[in-house]
Structure formats: C-alpha cells, structure tokens
Amino acid sequence: MAFSNSERRWIFPLAMASLMFIFLTAASFNMGLLSSVRSINSLIFSSNLSPSNETTVEFVESKTNNHSSPPPHVQSSPRFGYLVSGSKGDLESLWRVLRALYHPRNQYVVHLDLESPAEERIELAKRVREDPVFNDVGNVHMITKANLVTYRGPTMVANTLHACAILLKKSKDWDWFINLSASDYPLVTQDDLIHTFTGLDRNLNFIDYTSKLGWKAEKRAKPLIIDPGLYSTKKSDVFWVTPRRTMPTAFKLFTGSAWMVLSRSFVEYCIWGWDNLPRTLLMYYTNFLSTPEGYFQTVICNTPEYSSTVVNHDLHYISWDRPPKQHPRTLNISDTERMIASGAVFARKFKHDDLALDKIDIELLGRGGNGGNFTPGGWCADKHKCSKVGDPSKINPGPGANRLQELVSRLVSASKVDQRKCR
C-alpha cells in the first residue's frame, strides 16, 4: 500500500515533464521548418526580391539632377602684381605712378633704393601707412629694408626677384607680374587692362627678346663686370675686370627689354627653381653688363616648358635714338599721339611732372591733372574723388580697352603662328 502511494506521487510530475518535452519538440520542428521555407524562398525568388530591382518612387527633381551637366567654368578677372621702383629724387614720381596704377584687386610692391635719402623712404612708408584706401585694402607693400640697385648691374635683377618673392608670399591670387620704374606711366586704366587680359591664357609672358646679339656679344657678353652694389653700401657704377670670357655653350643668350609682363607660373619657376637653370643663369649674369636686359629672356627661352608661352613684346611705348643709346629718349607732350596710337599699356620715360603726364591723366585715365587722385574705375564707391572702395569686381573698361585689345590680339595671333620662338 505504501509502494502504491509513492508511485502515485510521481505520476503527476512525470506527466508534466512529458508534456513539456512534446511541446519543445514541436516548437523546434516548426522553427526549423519556417527557417527552411524562408531559405528555399530566398533561393527561388532572390532575383525578384533583390533591392536593386525594388520599385522606387522617383521625383522629377531627382531625374533632372541625375542628368544635369556641371555649370560651365567662368573665367574670373585677372589680378596683377606690380613692382614700382625708384631712386634718389623719385618719391613724388613714384607716388604719382602708384596712384595712377592702383586697383583694389591688384598687389603692389614699392621700393626706393638705398641711394634715396632716408627722409624720402620714411615719407613713402608714412604715405602708404596712412592712406585710407591702402590701409583698408592692405595690398600695397613697401620694401622698408632698401636694396642698393645699380641700373646696369645684376642688383637690379636681384631687386626684381626680391619683389617677386614678396608678392608670392603676400598673395596667391595675382596672375601676372609687371615691373615698372618711377619714370613709367600708364596709358590705359586698370579696368582697361583687366578687361583685355580676362580672356587671355594666364600662362602667356609678354617679354621683348632676340637672339641676335650683334654688337652686344662683344660689348656685353664677353666682358666681365663687377657690380659694387653687391657688396658696398654706397652706389657706384659697374667696373670691368679681365680676362674676357667666351660665349656660353651650355645655353643660348637672348637679350631684349628690361620691362616685361610675366606669368605667375614663370615667376614661381624663377624664384623656386625646381630646375637649376634660373640659379645657374643668375650666377652667370652676375658679371654681365646690362643684366636686366638679358636674364629673364635667357631663362625663358632656354626652358622648353615656357619658351612656347612667349609673346615678343613688352607692352611699352619707348622711343629710342638712332643709333640707340644706353637710355631711351625722354618723352614729352609732343609724343602723346604716337603713344596713344601704339596701343601700349605703358610709356617711358618721363620727367617728373611733365605736361605729358597731365594730358594722359585727363584724356586717357580720367583723373585730375594734379596726379593726386586715383584713376577712376568700377571699384570706386564715389566716382568723383574715387576715395572709397566699392565693389572691386566691377570693371568699367573705357576707350583704352579697345586700343589695347587690338594690340594684344595682333600680338597673340602672331605668336600662335610663329614657329621660330626663342630662336
């Protein structure tokens, strides 16, 4: 009887355990079956269920965006980097040239050499610092540690390269470098120049050159000269030393004008010199008479990367005596018609406050004859005095743009068909 009661006590737990076993077995079977069905379905209908073929809703805007072409590239107006340099007694001339050339888009380096009195250099620095427009825009830079520059020696090239380095450091936005002296003067407005150069290849270099040295081979290439400006604090002319040297065979010499319009790319090449040629030629021209009339020409014409970019003109109107002397004729008011007819950007050289400058100011640049105001342009907020900066991107070309466009178009077209560049 005891055994029977004990057996009955285990019947209920045993029954519950059996039911739980049956339930778990059935659940496992159902889950496996469901998983198998899903696997089979995924194999059979995978192509139809692929996300890449799912039906999606497309809007008109999405179709338009998918097939639209990128906006066309708009050529921005160019910017120029200027060097305006002078010497003793050139303060007023340099200041007048600077204000005639000024535009907020450009960059300017001004330099009075070490021969100029300290008072003149201090006064120039004061004017640049206190001019409200220059101070507001911040694009006029003075070389305060003046260089000693000998006109016919390598120190003039060194000064030009110094200015180039400053411009490269100060701004990455300029496209062409232009070197001028206090004896130069513009014949067109900066708006005229910017407008004309907008459509040009930014790699073009306007530099007067020739490989026909003629008498210069004997008088300049073979003699050896020393420029005291390299080591002295007092200015004196170059002097000759012996022996003479032969013509170079490692490169070909070229000569031309000391005034030029150089592309930023070529300026970077001259300063950084990833090829050693610019440095080699700088050392060679250290003993060359009239270095500024040969260094850049010889560098560019011996560099295949840049020789094809040369346009054989310096964009200056310069009048020479016949036969030519060391310096060009000094221009006066009787030369103005020929200057205008040339279509050139600049003319040189002028005496300080010559009447021709007043005529150019009034008739070509639209500024007061006293040379004190800026040349009016689209950037001026007040057109009468042009003493406040408005929109620097606004360009208002005048009649000078037509003259310059005619000259530049002719030069560039001739350059494209010239198969004998730098020969």
Side-chain angles (χ1 to χ4, degrees):
M1 187 70 179
F3 175 79
S4 179
N5 290 337
S6 175
E7 187 177 24
R8 288 193 190 97
R9 285 198 301 268
W10 287 102
I11 291 175
F12 182 76
L14 181 62
M16 291 299 296
S18 299
L19 289 173
M20 288 294 296
F21 175 78
I22 294 170
F23 175 79
L24 291 174
T25 302
S28 298
F29 175 80
N30 288 337
M31 291 180 66
L33 179 62
L34 181 60
S35 176
S36 299
V37 170
R38 286 179 177 172
S39 299
I40 294 171
N41 285 341
S42 66
L43 290 172
I44 297 174
F45 302 106
S46 60
S47 60
N48 293 331
L49 297 177
S50 173
S52 62
N53 288 304
E54 289 179 357
T55 302
T56 58
V57 178
E58 289 191 9
F59 296 96
V60 174
E61 289 83 354
S62 65
K63 291 183 178 181
T64 303
N65 292 337
N66 288 339
H67 298 285
S68 62
S69 58
H73 174 70
V74 178
Q75 182 85 310
S76 61
S77 298
R79 301 170 188 261
F80 297 87
Y82 281 93
L83 164 64
V84 186
S85 57
S87 189
K88 182 180 180 181
D90 286 337
L91 171 62
E92 298 302 333
S93 295
L94 189 151
W95 187 249
R96 181 170 184 168
V97 173
L98 175 61
R99 296 180 76 81
L101 289 170
Y102 186 76
H103 195 287
R105 292 180 58 84
N106 298 334
Q107 295 288 323
Y108 300 85
V109 171
V110 292
H111 176 251
L112 284 174
D113 73 9
L114 202 56
E115 186 187 23
S116 60
E119 293 78 13
E120 290 187 1
R121 286 181 270 127
I122 292 172
E123 175 63 21
L124 178 60
K126 179 175 178 289
R127 292 185 188 185
V128 171
R129 183 175 62 253
E130 295 181 355
D131 186 280
V133 173
F134 294 168
N135 189 47
D136 180 38
V137 180
N139 61 340
V140 179
H141 319 285
M142 180 178 174
I143 300 178
T144 53
K145 187 178 180 181
N147 300 312
L148 192 59
V149 178
T150 307
Y151 177 74
R152 296 191 295 172
T155 45
M156 186 172 175
V157 170
N159 187 62
T160 301
L161 294 173
H162 184 191
C164 289
I166 292 173
L167 289 168
L168 290 173
K169 181 180 180 181
K170 292 292 184 180
S171 174
K172 62 180 181 179
D173 293 329
W174 56 270
D175 302 285
W176 277 283
F177 168 77
I178 301 175
N179 65 324
L180 299 172
S181 78
S183 300
D184 292 85
Y185 213 69
L187 301 176
V188 298
T189 68
Q190 289 302 289
D191 279 9
D192 294 336
L193 181 62
I194 292 170
H195 173 77
T196 303
F197 272 61
T198 295
L200 293 183
D201 181 351
R202 304 285 165 97
N203 293 310
L204 291 178
N205 292 276
F206 292 84
I207 180 168
D208 173 72
Y209 74 91
T210 181
S211 61
K212 298 177 181 179
L213 301 185
W215 60 269
K216 292 182 179 180
E218 291 294 328
K219 298 294 185 180
R220 294 186 179 179
K222 292 183 179 181
L224 292 175
I225 63 100
I226 300 295
D227 182 354
L230 292 172
Y231 57 85
S232 177
T233 57
K234 292 186 177 181
K235 190 170 184 176
S236 59
D237 200 5
V238 300
F239 61 89
W240 283 255
V241 295
T242 55
R244 291 160 64 90
R245 60 183 171 187
T246 60
M247 295 293 287
T249 57
F251 44 82
K252 187 175 183 178
L253 293 181
F254 291 81
T255 187
S257 171
W259 314 103
M260 57 205 75
V261 180
L262 303 178
S263 69
R264 182 188 180 98
S265 175
F266 179 63
V267 169
E268 290 175 344
Y269 172 69
C270 291
I271 296 297
W272 295 340
W274 51 84
D275 181 278
N276 204 36
L277 182 65
R279 281 182 290 270
T280 299
L281 289 177
L282 188 60
M283 297 177 73
Y284 172 82
Y285 272 96
T286 300
N287 304 113
F288 196 101
L289 186 63
S290 295
T291 305
E293 298 176 5
Y295 172 73
F296 290 101
Q297 286 85 349
T298 302
V299 172
I300 200 167
C301 282
N302 283 274
T303 308
E305 181 181 352
Y306 292 104
S307 60
S308 61
T309 67
V310 177
V311 179
N312 197 356
H313 201 284
D314 61 5
L315 300 184
H316 270 69
Y317 175 83
I318 303 175
S319 179
W320 295 91
D321 291 306
R322 295 186 180 180
K325 300 178 181 179
Q326 176 66 41
H327 299 282
R329 284 183 53 247
T330 300
L331 302 175
N332 55 55
I333 199 166
S334 65
D335 295 298
T336 51
E337 289 187 8
R338 288 184 289 274
M339 294 181 219
I340 296 171
S342 72
V345 183
F346 310 102
R348 74 179 319 270
K349 59 181 188 171
F350 295 96
K351 289 182 178 179
H352 173 63
D353 280 347
D354 190 272
L355 291 177
L357 301 180
D358 293 337
K359 186 177 179 67
I360 292 170
D361 277 342
I362 296 171
E363 297 183 8
L364 302 184
L365 304 182
R367 62 197 295 256
N370 61 3
N373 298 330
F374 292 114
T375 299
W379 64 272
C380 302
D382 51 342
K383 295 184 179 180
H384 297 292
K385 293 184 179 180
C386 201
S387 59
K388 295 181 180 179
V389 179
D391 182 3
S393 65
K394 186 177 180 181
I395 306 298
N396 290 337
N402 297 328
R403 299 193 305 271
L404 180 57
Q405 184 67 59
E406 183 179 348
L407 172 65
V408 169
S409 297
R410 185 171 70 251
L411 293 173
V412 173
S413 297
S415 176
K416 288 180 179 179
V417 299
D418 184 9
Q419 301 299 320
R420 297 184 57 82
K421 284 185 180 180
C422 288
R423 294 185 182 178

